């Protein structure tokens, strides 16, 4: 077996895949669902409902607020309680639509059958039609970045797509939602990949999976041979070495097709690749073939001290507390709640934060695991430089951010940081490298946007 990986940096944190073998269960409906209007990169969605309106499962409740935006659909049926604000994963109150759940009535246009729909049976599916259905269904990147999927499928004239790479790496510790999705819906994922290749007008596809998911590698290799042999499509399942952050799209492109994406504003399609998460491929299948908007997702709820960690198919808008209760409730003692995994997840202050399009995990870690050691002076060991997958100098970027030297921070390419946390993880002096770099990156990006606006 030819096992590939990316060439620069990387670390090997403890896996802690506690829910690897736990089959997905359907989460119970909440009594009240909360829908933040910013569940994607770009402009927030604009409400199209008001207090007192009745909605069904699959009803559009907010339309796209611009070109880089996506509509939002109700995952429940009931009455709009209010259009107000709610705390989201950022920790701030943001505009949101809140719906009281009264039933489970779906829009009639959604195909709820278990029949596997095949592209060959739908001659109406042109590339343009596929992209439009994906756009209208509000599909975004399901790995956490939440970039509207239709935009990736329509690259600028200066870039030409040559392949679609499905990101099934799931390198972040604890999370197993993508693995369970592959084991339970492999056929639908491959139809989704076919649709993505059609939409991108390419015939080459790859599925990158780390070798700690051998059952998924074997299953999808077999399914690809059955589905694509003798067709115009060349699809390869690529086994990848266990290495974090292999799920970063630039690292994945390097590992799979041996091309390195230049610094921003370059993106993977500039070297011929369109990268989509495996959950996105499944959402594309449902959007195009089942006329089902994006309103539910696979999510892992996990932690070493949870009584029954698990994987859930959960309706968006469901408060995290509901899923924690389904796993036996919050453990006793002090714990840190994360939206996502321990490397890139965001710490939360409330369990009432809702599941959104990008919520692949709810992770609970004990205070002992979460407690940071006292930072010490930098010992100039350069370990942070050695593990940085972007080839940056994290110690320098952190210091420049600390002293607010934004001009040099920009010159030193702080915007290329993918915020993976490898530097902070490996620092023997326990310095808050990522914390400082995140603040500096945000400030520098704001300066760049302001400069561009003036021009």
């Amino acid at each position: 077996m030819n096992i590939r990986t990316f060439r620069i940096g990387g670390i090997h944190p403890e896996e802690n895949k506690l829910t690897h073998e736990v089959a997905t269960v359907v989460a119970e409906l909440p009594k009240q669902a909360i829908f933040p209007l910013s569940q994607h990169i770009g402009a927030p969605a604009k409400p199209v409902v008001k207090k007192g309106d009745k909605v069904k499962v699959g009803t559009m409740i907010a339309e796209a607020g611009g070109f880089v935006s996506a509509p939002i659909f109700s995952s429940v049926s009931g009455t709009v309680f209010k259009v107000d604000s709610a705390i989201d994963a950022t920790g701030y109150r943001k505009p949101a639509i809140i719906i009281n759940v009264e039933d489970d009535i779906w829009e009639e246009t959604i195909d709820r059958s278990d029949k596997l729909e095949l592209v060959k049976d739908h001659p109406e599916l042109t590339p343009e039609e596929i992209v439009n259905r994906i756009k209208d269904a509000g599909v975004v990147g399901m790995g956490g970045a939440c970039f509207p999927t239709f935009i990736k499928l329509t690259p600028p004239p200066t870039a030409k797509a040559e392949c679609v790479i499905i990101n099934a790496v799931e390198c972040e510790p604890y999370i197993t939602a993508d693995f369970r999705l592959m084991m339970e819906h492999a056929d639908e994922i491959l139809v989704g990949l076919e649709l993505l290749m059609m939409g991108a007008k390419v015939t080459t596809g790859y599925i990158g999976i780390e070798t700690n998911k051998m059952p998924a590698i074997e299953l999808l290799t077999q399914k690809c041979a059955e589905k694509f042999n003798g067709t115009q499509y060349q699809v390869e399942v690529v086994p990848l070495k266990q290495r974090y952050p292999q799920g970063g799209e630039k690292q994945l492109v390097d590992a799979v097709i041996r091309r390195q994406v230049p610094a921003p504003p370059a993106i993977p399609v500039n070297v011929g690749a369109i990268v989509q998460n495996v959950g996105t491929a499944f959402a594309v299948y449902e959007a195009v073939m089942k006329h089902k908007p994006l309103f539910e997702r696979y999510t892992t709820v996990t932690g070493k001290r949870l009584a029954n960690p698990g994987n859930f198919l959960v309706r968006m808008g469901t408060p995290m507390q509901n899923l924690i209760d389904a796993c036996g409730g919050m453990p006793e003692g002090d714990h840190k709640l994360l939206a996502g995994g321990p490397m890139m997840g965001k710490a939360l202050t409330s369990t009432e934060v809702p599941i959104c399009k990008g919520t692949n995990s709810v992770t609970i870690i004990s205070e002992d695991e979460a407690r940071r050691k006292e930072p010490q002076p930098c010992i100039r060991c350069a370990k942070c430089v050695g593990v940085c997958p972007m080839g940056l100098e994290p110690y320098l970027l952190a210091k420049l951010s600390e002293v607010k030297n934004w001009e040099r921070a920009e010159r030193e390419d702080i915007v290329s940081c993918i915020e993976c946390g490898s530097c902070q993880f490996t620092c023997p002096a326990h310095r808050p490298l990522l914390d400082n770099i995140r603040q500096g990156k945000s400030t520098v990006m704001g300066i760049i946007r302001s400069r561009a606006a003036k021009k």
Side-chain angles (χ1 to χ4, degrees):
M1 181 185 293
N2 179 22
I3 301 175
R4 309 178 203 175
T5 191
F6 58 99
R7 290 171 281 183
I8 301 175
I11 59 174
H12 299 273
E14 187 178 353
E15 288 185 33
N16 291 321
K17 302 285 190 179
L18 310 177
T19 52
H20 200 69
E21 301 300 327
V22 182
T24 306
V25 299
V26 178
E28 291 186 5
L29 294 178
K31 294 180 180 178
Q32 191 175 71
I34 305 165
F35 300 91
L37 299 182
S38 293
Q39 296 189 37
H40 48 264
I41 287 177
K46 297 178 180 178
V48 294
V49 294
K50 61 184 185 303
K51 181 178 179 178
D53 284 354
K54 297 289 185 180
V55 299
K56 299 178 182 179
V57 177
T59 300
M60 183 194 292
I61 57 176
E63 63 184 5
F67 177 70
V68 183
S69 187
I72 295 172
F73 297 82
S74 176
S75 64
V76 296
S77 62
T79 303
V80 176
F81 174 59
K82 58 182 176 178
V83 179
D84 195 357
S85 64
I87 296 175
D88 68 3
T90 66
Y92 296 97
R93 297 193 71 85
K94 298 285 184 66
I97 297 170
I98 302 170
I99 297 174
N100 290 332
V101 182
E102 296 163 356
D103 212 323
D104 194 29
I105 302 171
W106 290 47
E107 292 283 357
E108 294 78 5
T109 53
I110 300 173
D111 179 0
R112 301 182 67 187
S113 71
D114 293 330
K115 178 188 174 186
L116 179 68
E117 296 291 340
L118 301 175
V119 174
K120 65 180 182 180
D121 299 326
H122 293 269
E124 78 278 8
L125 290 178
T126 63
E128 293 73 23
E129 177 66 16
I130 290 169
V131 172
N132 284 335
R133 290 191 189 186
I134 291 170
K135 179 180 179 180
D136 293 343
V139 179
V140 302
M142 303 287 280
C146 298
F147 193 79
T149 301
F150 80 93
I151 297 177
K152 280 192 175 184
L153 296 176
T154 52
T158 54
K160 179 174 173 55
E162 299 174 25
C163 66
V164 171
I165 301 176
I166 296 298
N167 185 347
V169 174
E170 202 164 51
C171 61
E172 176 96 18
Y174 285 95
I175 307 174
T176 60
D178 285 352
F179 173 71
R180 294 313 314 172
L181 178 61
M182 288 187 281
M183 296 306 297
E184 296 164 16
H185 291 285
D187 291 318
E188 292 90 337
I189 288 167
L190 293 186
V191 176
L193 170 56
E194 184 178 0
L195 291 166
L196 287 167
M197 289 190 290
M198 289 178 65
K201 300 178 183 178
V202 301
T203 57
T204 302
Y206 301 94
I207 305 174
I209 310 175
E210 285 194 328
T211 52
N212 60 348
K213 305 173 187 65
M214 284 306 301
I217 291 174
E218 293 166 358
L219 176 62
L220 285 168
T221 298
Q222 173 196 335
K223 294 280 188 181
C224 282
E226 295 171 357
K227 180 173 179 60
F228 294 113
N229 281 0
T231 71
Q232 63 176 317
Y233 297 107
Q234 303 296 317
V235 177
E236 178 186 357
V237 176
V238 182
L240 300 170
K241 180 180 178 180
Q242 292 168 238
R243 192 176 181 189
Y244 177 87
Q246 196 138 233
E249 62 178 14
K250 292 186 177 183
Q251 286 66 44
L252 184 59
V253 170
D254 183 25
V256 172
I257 63 173
R258 274 297 182 263
R259 299 179 187 177
Q260 292 187 328
V261 182
I267 53 177
V269 75
N270 292 120
V271 296
I274 291 177
V275 181
Q276 299 286 1
N277 179 262
V278 67
T280 308
F282 181 65
V284 164
Y285 166 79
E286 294 199 309
V288 177
M289 309 304 279
K290 296 292 187 178
H291 304 283
K292 180 182 174 183
L294 180 58
F295 56 72
E296 60 183 359
R297 66 158 298 139
Y298 275 59
T299 297
T300 298
V301 184
T302 182
K304 292 180 180 178
R305 297 191 183 181
L306 269 180
N308 299 294
N311 299 294
F312 295 88
L313 176 61
V314 56
R315 305 277 183 94
M316 289 161 198
T318 301
M320 292 180 181
Q321 183 64 54
N322 292 39
L323 300 181
I324 296 169
D325 289 342
C327 294
M330 186 70 78
E332 292 184 4
D334 293 330
H335 293 82
K336 178 176 280 190
L337 175 66
L338 303 174
M343 296 302 296
M344 296 187 73
K346 299 293 193 298
L348 304 176
T349 58
S350 170
T351 58
E352 294 305 311
V353 171
I355 299 297
C356 294
K357 293 181 180 183
T359 314
N360 55 3
S361 175
V362 178
T363 307
I364 298 169
I365 57 177
S366 69
E367 183 64 24
D368 291 339
E369 295 174 280
R371 185 180 294 116
R372 295 185 178 186
K373 296 182 180 179
E374 191 70 26
Q376 302 296 323
C378 175
I379 62 173
R380 298 295 189 267
C381 66
K383 285 187 176 181
C384 63
V385 178
V387 300
C388 178
M390 297 305 297
L392 304 174
E393 297 180 274
Y395 74 92
L396 175 59
L397 297 177
K399 188 62 178 179
L400 293 173
S401 300
E402 193 175 353
V403 301
K404 298 181 171 54
N405 189 340
W406 310 128
E407 186 177 340
R408 187 174 176 195
E410 182 178 353
R411 289 203 310 271
E412 296 291 344
D413 208 15
I414 195 171
V415 296
S416 285
C417 173
I418 61 172
E419 303 180 32
C420 66
S422 296
C423 55
Q424 192 158 302
F425 177 86
T426 199
C427 178
H430 315 296
R431 298 191 62 75
L433 299 175
L434 178 59
D435 298 353
N436 289 340
I437 292 171
R438 270 182 173 157
Q439 292 178 358
K441 178 183 172 182
S442 176
T443 301
V444 170
M445 290 180 70
I447 292 170
I448 293 171
R449 286 193 295 268
S450 176
R451 190 166 61 224
K454 289 179 181 177
K455 288 183 179 179

